[in-house]
Amino acid sequence: MSGRNRMPRGGRDGPLPVVLRGPPPPHPAVLEEELELQHHDIQRIMAENGHVVEENVILQRELTAVKDEIHRLGQIIPKLHADREARSRDLVDRGRKLEAELRDAEPLRKDVSHLRNEAQKLNSLRQDLSNQVQTLTKDASRLRAENEQVMAIKTDIDGMHKDLAEMRRDYEMLKKTNEEQLIQKEAMEKNLISMAREIEKLRGEQIRTRGPGGGGYGMLSGSPDMRYPAGGYGDVYGGGWGSYDHRGPPRH
């Protein structure tokens, strides 16, 4: 029984045999690749940790600045509250003063209302005057146009006066010429009448001196070249000048 539980000596003195169980170990190349991936992951994590550290430093700085700002604001806020209260009291005082001034300005408000009504009346009056000015301007334009027409008519009248003066001057000259011609004509008529009377007188004397069968003038009168027809002077001068009298030549 005791020999059955004993171990052999050879197994006690030498190395025990290795008995491997499970899957076989991976290939060294696979192990190297995994190590390389782990190395990259470690570097990435270290870089991210560096960024995190930098961000922590920046955040610590910002936190310090915020704390300083909070501390500064903590000192300023009471001052701001005091300024705000002082401003509020100032505004309240100014409001009371304005209310007092408004109460004092109540009579002035009535005056302002009265002046506003007067201004409205003056504005209405100004509008009426402006309309009247426009009407007067139109009338002045119309009168100016009529005045221009009157000046043109006056110019025409002046021209007609000049023409009338020239016509009167020409008429006076023509009248004077006609009067001179009339005087000359009357003088010629008187001379012709005198000559006709002298001729009649000489003819009567010739007839008286000739007698019946007498010579001299009778023969001269009986000559065919010197014989005068009976009543010749009467026909010549009586027909042409018998109508003349002391009033002048006949009027046609």
Side-chain angles (χ1 to χ4, degrees):
M1 298 285 300
S2 58
R4 189 178 296 176
N5 295 326
R6 290 179 183 177
M7 296 292 293
R9 290 182 181 181
R12 183 180 297 179
D13 294 334
L16 295 176
V18 178
V19 179
L20 296 176
R21 295 178 180 179
H27 194 273
V30 175
L31 292 175
E32 289 180 0
E33 185 177 358
E34 289 181 355
L35 289 174
E36 185 69 23
L37 291 174
Q38 290 178 359
H39 180 68
H40 284 298
D41 291 337
I42 291 170
Q43 288 182 349
R44 179 176 59 77
I45 291 170
M46 290 178 66
E48 290 178 354
N49 288 332
H51 290 300
V52 170
V53 171
E54 291 178 357
E55 290 178 355
N56 287 330
V57 172
I58 293 171
L59 289 174
Q60 287 292 333
R61 291 176 182 175
E62 291 179 354
L63 182 60
T64 303
V66 169
K67 288 181 179 180
D68 294 336
E69 184 69 19
I70 290 172
H71 180 69
R72 187 178 65 82
L73 291 175
Q75 294 177 352
I76 291 175
I77 287 173
K79 185 178 179 180
L80 292 176
H81 283 298
D83 293 339
R84 183 176 180 182
E85 290 178 357
R87 186 175 297 175
S88 298
R89 288 192 299 269
D90 186 24
L91 290 175
V92 170
D93 294 336
R94 290 178 63 183
R96 291 175 181 175
K97 291 180 181 179
L98 287 174
E99 289 178 356
E101 290 177 357
L102 288 174
R103 286 193 298 270
D104 294 336
E106 187 65 26
L108 294 176
R109 183 179 298 174
K110 294 180 180 179
D111 294 337
V112 168
S113 178
H114 177 69
L115 290 175
R116 187 178 292 111
N117 294 329
E118 292 293 331
Q120 291 178 356
K121 292 179 181 179
L122 291 175
N123 190 15
S124 178
L125 181 60
R126 182 181 63 82
Q127 187 66 32
D128 293 338
L129 291 175
S130 177
N131 295 330
Q132 291 179 6
V133 168
Q134 291 179 358
T135 303
L136 291 175
T137 302
K138 291 180 181 179
D139 293 339
S141 300
R142 180 176 55 80
L143 290 175
R144 191 178 296 111
E146 292 178 356
N147 190 18
E148 291 177 356
Q149 294 178 358
V150 169
M151 292 299 295
I153 293 172
K154 185 178 180 181
T155 303
D156 295 338
I157 291 173
D158 292 338
M160 293 173 66
H161 279 302
K162 290 180 181 179
D163 295 338
L164 183 61
E166 292 179 358
M167 292 175 64
R168 185 178 290 119
R169 185 170 58 253
D170 295 338
Y171 172 75
E172 293 295 334
M173 292 177 64
L174 183 61
K175 181 179 178 182
K176 185 177 180 181
T177 303
N178 290 334
E179 288 179 353
E180 292 177 354
Q181 291 179 357
L182 182 60
I183 292 170
Q184 293 177 1
K185 187 176 181 181
E186 289 178 352
M188 290 176 65
E189 289 175 353
K190 290 179 180 179
N191 291 330
L192 289 174
I193 291 170
S194 298
M195 290 173 64
R197 290 176 180 175
E198 290 294 330
I199 290 171
E200 290 291 334
K201 184 178 180 182
L202 291 174
R203 182 180 178 187
E205 291 179 355
Q206 182 182 7
I207 292 172
R208 285 195 301 270
T209 57
R210 185 179 55 183
Y217 286 108
M219 293 180 63
L220 184 60
S221 299
S223 175
D225 296 329
M226 298 298 293
R227 185 179 295 121
Y228 294 98
Y233 288 105
D235 294 333
V236 175
Y237 295 99
W241 306 99
S243 61
Y244 276 88
D245 54 8
H246 64 281
R247 291 176 295 180
R251 270 68 173 179
H252 298 288

